[in-house]
Amino acid sequence: MFEKQKKLITSCELKQKISLSKSLQELREENICEIKNILASFSEKKIIIVGPCSADDEKAVLEYVAKLLKLSQKVNKKLFIMSRIYTAKPRSRNSYKGILHEDDDFSFGLERQRNLHIKAFSESGIPTCDELLYVDNFNYLDDVVSYMAVGARTVESPSHRFVASGLDVPVGMKNPINGSIDSLVNSLCVAQIPQKFVQFGFQLKTTGNKFAHSILRGGTLKSGENFSNHSKKDILELLEKYSNEKLENPALVVDASHSNSNKNPKNQRHVIKSVTQSMSQDKSIHNFVKGFMIESYLNEGQSANEYGVSKTDSCLGFENTERLILDIAEEL
């Protein structure tokens, strides 16, 4: 049984209330263009999507982004850094669901969500990305973010695949929790081509998103045991499926966290080292792998109430993150 509690603020109303300046709009377009150039192999840079598992505290996130700006300036000849600001979290159980859910008034949550992305981008110039958890919510961020990801719990959803096909920003599609590469490839086949569907109370038609690409994050067996899928063999198998399906702009981002790291943030270094070694050994892998996703925050670990510590999955601390990203730049 559904109870209609309150009509939400519209995306148009919220955009009028909080918006990017013209110069930041232009910078955002430049950032999107650069991301697309990397994914299309017109640029040799690699993407680094880095930030906390959940953007749970505005002050801590902005402090993190300020540190990220200084790091970005050290590696920008080789790496293109994006700030991971995930404001809504898919939780299997009734745990922390992100700042969007913190207040009983979801209009306030939507405003906080948009405001945080705009503040982070305004103060740093570093492009922000979020997860396409609720497809209807993209309208509140579509003129702010430079990249979206479809998570492991929703990548098999027809609505998410269809909406991804109409986004004007690059979208990364994760393999589902069971690790199925076929489901991942199916999602790309849908997202890259034009679609007709019903959403937002309208019949919609999209042009297809040729910059929809894959994110490997490992998987979980029915027993609960995690397994990785970032090996040389795994990457080559995925590349072959790209070729068989004639997908455009073959591109892979390796998620160093989640099941690939066995939920241990310190293992992210080993995951990335393994992939960069494969990249050095095989040119096709080097060209296919476009970057990495890293879960990182001000301080290491997981805690429900410590400042700068992740409320959700355990994250790498910033000091170790900086060392890791500097090493990636040197190895590439």
Side-chain angles (χ1 to χ4, degrees), residues 34-149:
E34 182 153 13
I35 298 165
K36 289 180 176 180
N37 282 339
I38 294 170
L39 295 173
S41 298
F42 295 135
S43 169
E44 293 185 359
K45 287 185 181 182
K46 301 298 182 184
I47 293 167
I48 303 291
I49 302 167
V50 59
C53 175
S54 54
D56 50 34
D57 181 281
E58 180 181 295
K59 183 180 177 182
V61 169
L62 294 177
E63 182 180 339
Y64 180 92
V65 171
K67 289 177 178 288
L68 201 59
L69 173 60
K70 294 179 181 178
L71 174 57
S72 177
Q73 291 166 346
K74 296 178 183 178
V75 298
N76 59 14
K77 289 185 179 179
K78 289 188 175 182
L79 303 177
F80 184 81
I81 289 183
M82 287 191 277
S83 181
R84 174 189 161 111
I85 299 181
Y86 280 23
T87 52
K89 298 294 298 180
R91 299 290 88 183
S92 300
R93 302 194 179 200
N94 194 28
S95 56
Y96 183 71
K97 296 183 179 69
I99 62 173
L100 183 60
H101 289 258
E102 283 187 11
D103 196 274
D104 287 339
D105 184 350
F106 271 51
S107 288
F108 180 64
L110 289 165
E111 185 171 333
R112 285 186 67 197
Q113 176 189 54
R114 181 173 173 84
N115 193 51
L116 179 54
H117 275 278
I118 288 179
K119 275 190 176 181
F121 185 41
S122 300
E123 293 179 11
S124 68
I126 294 177
T128 69
C129 61
D130 208 328
E131 180 176 347
L132 186 67
L133 179 57
Y134 307 122
V135 290
D136 294 53
N137 284 6
F138 181 70
N139 290 329
Y140 293 90
L141 293 174
D142 62 350
D143 60 334
V144 177
V145 296
S146 299
Y147 180 99
M148 293 295 285

Side-chain angles (χ1 to χ4, degrees), residues 283-300:
K283 188 174 181 180
S284 65
I285 292 178
H286 184 276
N287 293 338
F288 183 40
V289 175
K290 301 302 184 185
F292 300 95
M293 184 176 282
I294 302 167
E295 288 200 336
S296 154
Y297 212 177
L298 292 174
N299 302 304
E300 198 152 306

Side-chain angles (χ1 to χ4, degrees), residues 81-310:
I81 289 183
M82 287 191 277
S83 181
R84 174 189 161 111
I85 299 181
Y86 280 23
T87 52
K89 298 294 298 180
R91 299 290 88 183
S92 300
R93 302 194 179 200
N94 194 28
S95 56
Y96 183 71
K97 296 183 179 69
I99 62 173
L100 183 60
H101 289 258
E102 283 187 11
D103 196 274
D104 287 339
D105 184 350
F106 271 51
S107 288
F108 180 64
L110 289 165
E111 185 171 333
R112 285 186 67 197
Q113 176 189 54
R114 181 173 173 84
N115 193 51
L116 179 54
H117 275 278
I118 288 179
K119 275 190 176 181
F121 185 41
S122 300
E123 293 179 11
S124 68
I126 294 177
T128 69
C129 61
D130 208 328
E131 180 176 347
L132 186 67
L133 179 57
Y134 307 122
V135 290
D136 294 53
N137 284 6
F138 181 70
N139 290 329
Y140 293 90
L141 293 174
D142 62 350
D143 60 334
V144 177
V145 296
S146 299
Y147 180 99
M148 293 295 285
V150 176
R153 291 176 177 85
T154 50
V155 73
E156 294 179 295
S157 155
S159 292
H160 286 76
R161 293 176 174 186
F162 292 156
V163 170
S165 75
L167 301 189
D168 62 354
V169 298
V171 56
M173 317 283 283
K174 288 194 175 185
N175 64 260
I177 289 175
N178 64 13
S180 172
I181 300 303
D182 286 336
S183 288
L184 167 60
V185 172
N186 287 341
S187 75
L188 295 173
C189 290
V190 174
Q192 285 202 358
I193 63 174
Q195 300 291 342
K196 280 185 179 181
F197 59 103
V198 174
Q199 192 75 43
F200 316 126
F202 292 93
Q203 178 179 317
L204 301 176
K205 181 180 179 181
T206 69
T207 57
N209 188 341
K210 65 180 181 180
F211 295 101
H213 59 279
S214 54
I215 301 177
L216 291 181
R217 48 87 72 200
T220 306
L221 300 172
K222 289 184 178 179
S223 63
E225 182 181 353
N226 293 309
F227 63 90
S228 65
N229 59 6
H230 61 79
S231 71
K232 186 175 182 179
K233 178 175 177 289
D234 293 320
I235 294 172
L236 288 173
E237 285 181 359
L238 177 58
L239 181 57
E240 183 179 6
K241 290 180 183 293
Y242 261 83
S243 177
N244 291 342
E245 296 292 345
K246 297 180 173 55
L247 289 164
E248 295 195 63
N249 300 315
L252 165 64
V253 172
V254 176
D255 181 351
S257 187
H258 296 97
S259 294
N260 272 335
S261 66
N262 198 27
K263 299 296 183 77
N264 182 341
K266 292 182 179 179
N267 287 341
Q268 293 182 94
R269 172 174 289 277
H270 305 306
V271 172
I272 291 173
K273 183 69 175 178
S274 169
V275 176
T276 56
Q277 285 179 344
S278 297
M279 292 167 71
S280 68
Q281 294 165 1
D282 190 315
K283 188 174 181 180
S284 65
I285 292 178
H286 184 276
N287 293 338
F288 183 40
V289 175
K290 301 302 184 185
F292 300 95
M293 184 176 282
I294 302 167
E295 288 200 336
S296 154
Y297 212 177
L298 292 174
N299 302 304
E300 198 152 306
Q302 186 275 334
S303 171
N305 50 24
E306 287 185 56
Y307 178 78
V309 180
S310 175

